[in-house]
Amino acid sequence: MVDGTLQFDGSKTYKDSKLCNILFTRFAAQKYSHLTIVSFNPGFIPSTGLFDSLRDENWAKAHTLMFLVWLGGFSVPVSVEGDRLVAIVHRTGLKSGSYYSADVGSTAIETGFGERPVSKEASSDDVAKMLWEKSLRIMANHPEVK
């Protein structure tokens, strides 16, 4: 886990990966200022494999969550995810280093989709730099990179 804990927790792993994506984007945008680099959340898509660990850990909890998400209209079809990716790639005026997401429950492609605030942890330039440098060290030792 990002905080150094070794015990696997599917929910924390998912959250840590989102945090790392935002931090990595922040640093990449500073390093490559001639490019527009953003992090992007297509919406809540429970039909993908992201819920596999929750299903394995607690089948009843996973299906209860899926039902509540369906009932509340919070889920996004996989087809919308792809359309949103295409829409944001072609959008002009994006702020490099920013995080973009849709309004909760929105299945619209363009409307309600914009720059969103991030947590204090995701705003740290020092942590973003540390993550970048650690990634470089890890990749430098990867057999497929050498």
Side-chain angles (χ1 to χ4, degrees):
M1 302 291 152
V2 171
D3 62 3
T5 58
L6 299 177
Q7 185 173 355
F8 178 79
D9 177 337
S11 177
K12 181 156 178 18
T13 300
Y14 176 78
K15 294 170 191 172
D16 283 356
S17 72
K18 293 295 182 189
L19 174 62
C20 288
N21 285 339
I22 292 169
L23 289 167
F24 202 82
T25 298
R26 289 177 61 82
F27 193 83
Q30 292 171 10
K31 185 168 181 67
Y32 303 105
S33 58
H34 61 287
L35 300 173
T36 300
I37 303 171
V38 299
S39 53
F40 160 73
N41 171 20
F44 185 62
I45 308 167
S47 59
T48 65
L50 292 174
F51 281 84
D52 288 349
S53 66
L54 179 59
R55 287 183 197 102
D56 293 343
E57 293 168 11
N58 189 329
W59 184 91
K61 183 178 178 181
H63 283 79
T64 300
L65 176 62
M66 297 285 281
F67 175 72
L68 292 173
V69 164
W70 171 81
L71 189 64
F74 297 120
S75 64
V76 175
V78 174
S79 62
V80 170
E81 170 191 18
D83 291 342
R84 283 182 172 167
L85 178 58
V86 170
I88 201 160
V89 165
H90 292 285
R91 186 181 283 185
T92 58
L94 295 175
K95 181 180 171 191
S96 196
S98 294
Y99 169 70
Y100 287 82
S101 183
D103 294 332
V104 175
S106 169
T107 57
I109 304 302
E110 288 284 340
T111 58
F113 193 81
E115 184 180 355
R116 300 288 185 250
V118 296
S119 68
K120 179 181 173 186
E121 294 84 1
S123 299
S124 172
D125 289 335
D126 292 337
V127 176
K129 182 179 180 185
M130 182 183 68
L131 174 66
W132 184 274
E133 291 171 350
K134 185 172 274 196
S135 298
L136 288 177
R137 285 193 303 276
I138 291 168
M139 292 310 296
N141 294 319
H142 194 282
E144 292 182 19
V145 175
K146 290 185 175 184

